[in-house]
mmCIF file of all heavy atoms in Angstrom:
data_model
loop_
_atom_site.group_PDB
_atom_site.id
_atom_site.type_symbol
_atom_site.label_atom_id
_atom_site.label_comp_id
_atom_site.label_asym_id
_atom_site.label_seq_id
_atom_site.Cartn_x
_atom_site.Cartn_y
_atom_site.Cartn_z
ATOM 1 N N MET L 1 -23.058 -7.285 -1.782
ATOM 2 C CA MET L 1 -22.003 -8.339 -1.979
ATOM 3 C C MET L 1 -21.542 -8.294 -3.431
ATOM 4 O O MET L 1 -20.439 -8.579 -3.667
ATOM 5 C CB MET L 1 -22.646 -9.743 -1.760
ATOM 6 C CG MET L 1 -22.405 -10.458 -0.470
ATOM 7 S SD MET L 1 -20.945 -10.042 0.434
ATOM 8 C CE MET L 1 -20.027 -11.408 0.253
ATOM 9 N N LEU L 7 -15.318 -5.457 -7.495
ATOM 10 C CA LEU L 7 -14.061 -4.674 -7.167
ATOM 11 C C LEU L 7 -12.948 -5.631 -6.675
ATOM 12 O O LEU L 7 -11.993 -5.209 -6.073
ATOM 13 C CB LEU L 7 -14.239 -3.679 -6.123
ATOM 14 C CG LEU L 7 -15.269 -2.441 -6.614
ATOM 15 C CD1 LEU L 7 -15.519 -1.659 -5.471
ATOM 16 C CD2 LEU L 7 -14.486 -1.801 -7.751
ATOM 17 N N GLU L 12 -6.889 -7.051 -5.142
ATOM 18 C CA GLU L 12 -5.756 -7.807 -5.531
ATOM 19 C C GLU L 12 -4.509 -6.897 -5.907
ATOM 20 O O GLU L 12 -3.444 -7.058 -5.503
ATOM 21 C CB GLU L 12 -6.214 -8.743 -6.858
ATOM 22 C CG GLU L 12 -6.944 -9.811 -6.450
ATOM 23 C CD GLU L 12 -7.367 -10.663 -7.726
ATOM 24 O OE1 GLU L 12 -6.745 -10.355 -8.795
ATOM 25 O OE2 GLU L 12 -8.212 -11.474 -7.574
ATOM 26 N N LEU L 14 -4.094 -3.832 -4.743
ATOM 27 C CA LEU L 14 -3.632 -3.265 -3.434
ATOM 28 C C LEU L 14 -2.809 -4.215 -2.788
ATOM 29 O O LEU L 14 -1.806 -3.854 -2.077
ATOM 30 C CB LEU L 14 -4.810 -2.785 -2.779
ATOM 31 C CG LEU L 14 -5.513 -1.515 -3.186
ATOM 32 C CD1 LEU L 14 -6.741 -1.178 -2.302
ATOM 33 C CD2 LEU L 14 -4.607 -0.251 -3.294
ATOM 34 N N ALA L 17 0.621 -4.459 -4.493
ATOM 35 C CA ALA L 17 1.372 -3.227 -4.245
ATOM 36 C C ALA L 17 1.790 -3.170 -2.822
ATOM 37 O O ALA L 17 3.130 -2.801 -2.544
ATOM 38 C CB ALA L 17 0.550 -1.965 -4.478
ATOM 39 N N LEU L 18 1.038 -3.620 -1.825
ATOM 40 C CA LEU L 18 1.573 -3.605 -0.411
ATOM 41 C C LEU L 18 2.625 -4.709 -0.194
ATOM 42 O O LEU L 18 3.694 -4.413 0.466
ATOM 43 C CB LEU L 18 0.423 -3.906 0.521
ATOM 44 C CG LEU L 18 0.634 -3.739 2.034
ATOM 45 C CD1 LEU L 18 0.971 -2.375 2.305
ATOM 46 C CD2 LEU L 18 -0.658 -4.212 2.710
ATOM 47 N N VAL L 23 8.498 -5.666 0.584
ATOM 48 C CA VAL L 23 9.797 -6.233 0.124
ATOM 49 C C VAL L 23 10.797 -5.207 -0.113
ATOM 50 O O VAL L 23 12.040 -5.329 0.351
ATOM 51 C CB VAL L 23 9.552 -7.053 -1.329
ATOM 52 C CG1 VAL L 23 10.849 -7.377 -1.825
ATOM 53 C CG2 VAL L 23 8.700 -8.337 -0.835
ATOM 54 N N CYS L 24 10.500 -4.054 -0.617
ATOM 55 C CA CYS L 24 11.400 -2.933 -0.930
ATOM 56 C C CYS L 24 11.956 -2.188 0.383
ATOM 57 O O CYS L 24 13.052 -1.972 0.450
ATOM 58 C CB CYS L 24 10.746 -1.905 -1.836
ATOM 59 S SG CYS L 24 10.582 -2.283 -3.511
ATOM 60 N N ILE L 25 11.010 -2.189 1.399
ATOM 61 C CA ILE L 25 11.471 -1.582 2.584
ATOM 62 C C ILE L 25 12.365 -2.666 3.372
ATOM 63 O O ILE L 25 13.440 -2.233 3.932
ATOM 64 C CB ILE L 25 10.247 -1.378 3.515
ATOM 65 C CG1 ILE L 25 9.546 -0.135 2.952
ATOM 66 C CG2 ILE L 25 10.550 -1.200 4.944
ATOM 67 C CD1 ILE L 25 8.126 0.099 3.735
ATOM 68 N N ILE L 31 20.169 -3.534 3.292
ATOM 69 C CA ILE L 31 21.210 -2.925 2.815
ATOM 70 C C ILE L 31 21.893 -1.953 3.798
ATOM 71 O O ILE L 31 23.125 -1.839 3.930
ATOM 72 C CB ILE L 31 20.746 -2.199 1.467
ATOM 73 C CG1 ILE L 31 20.490 -3.294 0.434
ATOM 74 C CG2 ILE L 31 21.947 -1.282 0.942
ATOM 75 C CD1 ILE L 31 19.850 -2.717 -0.843
ATOM 76 N N ALA L 34 23.779 -3.829 6.395
ATOM 77 C CA ALA L 34 25.064 -4.403 5.929
ATOM 78 C C ALA L 34 26.040 -3.253 5.725
ATOM 79 O O ALA L 34 27.207 -3.467 6.056
ATOM 80 C CB ALA L 34 24.799 -5.033 4.539
ATOM 81 N N LEU L 39 19.046 4.163 9.325
ATOM 82 C CA LEU L 39 17.990 4.559 8.334
ATOM 83 C C LEU L 39 16.792 5.201 9.137
ATOM 84 O O LEU L 39 16.312 4.559 9.986
ATOM 85 C CB LEU L 39 17.550 3.230 7.674
ATOM 86 C CG LEU L 39 16.613 3.377 6.488
ATOM 87 C CD1 LEU L 39 17.380 4.178 5.334
ATOM 88 C CD2 LEU L 39 16.263 2.042 5.891
ATOM 89 N N LYS L 42 11.536 8.570 8.176
ATOM 90 C CA LYS L 42 11.168 9.268 7.018
ATOM 91 C C LYS L 42 11.619 8.647 5.666
ATOM 92 O O LYS L 42 10.889 8.624 4.623
ATOM 93 C CB LYS L 42 11.596 10.733 7.106
ATOM 94 C CG LYS L 42 10.942 11.487 8.097
ATOM 95 C CD LYS L 42 11.466 12.895 8.066
ATOM 96 C CE LYS L 42 10.782 13.825 9.125
ATOM 97 N NZ LYS L 42 11.248 15.181 9.156
ATOM 98 N N ALA L 49 6.350 4.319 0.085
ATOM 99 C CA ALA L 49 5.349 5.092 -0.789
ATOM 100 C C ALA L 49 5.801 4.919 -2.298
ATOM 101 O O ALA L 49 4.878 4.801 -3.103
ATOM 102 C CB ALA L 49 5.238 6.526 -0.330
ATOM 103 N N ALA L 50 6.995 5.197 -2.400
ATOM 104 C CA ALA L 50 7.474 5.127 -3.961
ATOM 105 C C ALA L 50 7.243 3.546 -4.443
ATOM 106 O O ALA L 50 6.899 3.480 -5.613
ATOM 107 C CB ALA L 50 8.916 5.503 -3.964
ATOM 108 N N ILE L 56 1.591 -0.113 -8.254
ATOM 109 C CA ILE L 56 0.354 -0.067 -8.813
ATOM 110 C C ILE L 56 0.363 0.401 -10.205
ATOM 111 O O ILE L 56 -0.356 -0.163 -11.072
ATOM 112 C CB ILE L 56 -0.394 1.143 -8.047
ATOM 113 C CG1 ILE L 56 -0.813 0.571 -6.608
ATOM 114 C CG2 ILE L 56 -1.610 1.631 -8.742
ATOM 115 C CD1 ILE L 56 -1.515 1.511 -5.754
ATOM 116 N N VAL L 59 1.312 -2.734 -12.354
ATOM 117 C CA VAL L 59 0.003 -3.588 -12.476
ATOM 118 C C VAL L 59 -0.733 -3.014 -13.476
ATOM 119 O O VAL L 59 -1.371 -3.686 -14.309
ATOM 120 C CB VAL L 59 -0.518 -3.849 -11.094
ATOM 121 C CG1 VAL L 59 -1.962 -4.447 -11.307
ATOM 122 C CG2 VAL L 59 0.294 -4.726 -10.114
ATOM 123 N N LEU L 61 -0.025 -1.134 -16.076
ATOM 124 C CA LEU L 61 0.610 -1.227 -17.328
ATOM 125 C C LEU L 61 0.660 -2.601 -17.802
ATOM 126 O O LEU L 61 0.386 -2.951 -18.984
ATOM 127 C CB LEU L 61 2.131 -0.686 -17.308
ATOM 128 C CG LEU L 61 2.221 0.796 -17.294
ATOM 129 C CD1 LEU L 61 3.654 1.200 -17.131
ATOM 130 C CD2 LEU L 61 1.539 1.505 -18.508
ATOM 131 N N ILE L 62 0.753 -3.661 -16.945
ATOM 132 C CA ILE L 62 0.673 -4.956 -17.302
ATOM 133 C C ILE L 62 -0.706 -5.421 -17.764
ATOM 134 O O ILE L 62 -0.899 -6.180 -18.594
ATOM 135 C CB ILE L 62 1.314 -5.933 -16.265
ATOM 136 C CG1 ILE L 62 2.827 -5.679 -16.065
ATOM 137 C CG2 ILE L 62 0.906 -7.418 -16.433
ATOM 138 C CD1 ILE L 62 3.353 -6.294 -14.811
ATOM 139 N N ALA L 63 -1.703 -4.940 -17.019
ATOM 140 C CA ALA L 63 -3.009 -5.101 -17.365
ATOM 141 C C ALA L 63 -3.539 -4.686 -18.595
ATOM 142 O O ALA L 63 -4.447 -5.160 -19.258
ATOM 143 C CB ALA L 63 -4.065 -4.569 -16.126
ATOM 144 N N PRO L 66 -2.188 -6.782 -23.950
ATOM 145 C CA PRO L 66 -2.942 -7.821 -24.445
ATOM 146 C C PRO L 66 -2.215 -9.120 -24.364
ATOM 147 O O PRO L 66 -0.969 -9.179 -24.534
ATOM 148 C CB PRO L 66 -3.453 -7.501 -25.840
ATOM 149 C CG PRO L 66 -2.527 -6.571 -26.350
ATOM 150 C CD PRO L 66 -2.000 -5.662 -25.057
ATOM 151 N N MET L 67 -2.870 -10.297 -23.909
ATOM 152 C CA MET L 67 -2.155 -11.517 -23.766
ATOM 153 C C MET L 67 -2.127 -12.218 -25.114
ATOM 154 O O MET L 67 -3.251 -12.174 -25.853
ATOM 155 C CB MET L 67 -2.938 -12.463 -22.706
ATOM 156 C CG MET L 67 -2.741 -11.856 -21.335
ATOM 157 S SD MET L 67 -1.011 -11.870 -20.753
ATOM 158 C CE MET L 67 -0.834 -13.544 -20.643
ATOM 159 N N LEU L 69 -2.513 -15.238 -27.820
ATOM 160 C CA LEU L 69 -3.152 -16.571 -27.852
ATOM 161 C C LEU L 69 -2.328 -17.518 -28.194
ATOM 162 O O LEU L 69 -1.936 -18.532 -28.214
ATOM 163 C CB LEU L 69 -4.501 -16.395 -28.703
ATOM 164 C CG LEU L 69 -5.499 -15.431 -28.390
ATOM 165 C CD1 LEU L 69 -6.551 -15.371 -29.661
ATOM 166 C CD2 LEU L 69 -6.145 -15.749 -27.127
#
Side-chain angles (χ1 to χ4, degrees):
M1 268 328 257
L7 292 176
E12 290 176 15
L14 290 175
L18 188 61
V23 168
C24 288
I25 289 173
I31 289 170
L39 191 61
K42 287 183 182 181
I56 288 179
V59 168
L61 287 175
I62 290 170
M67 294 294 292
L69 296 175

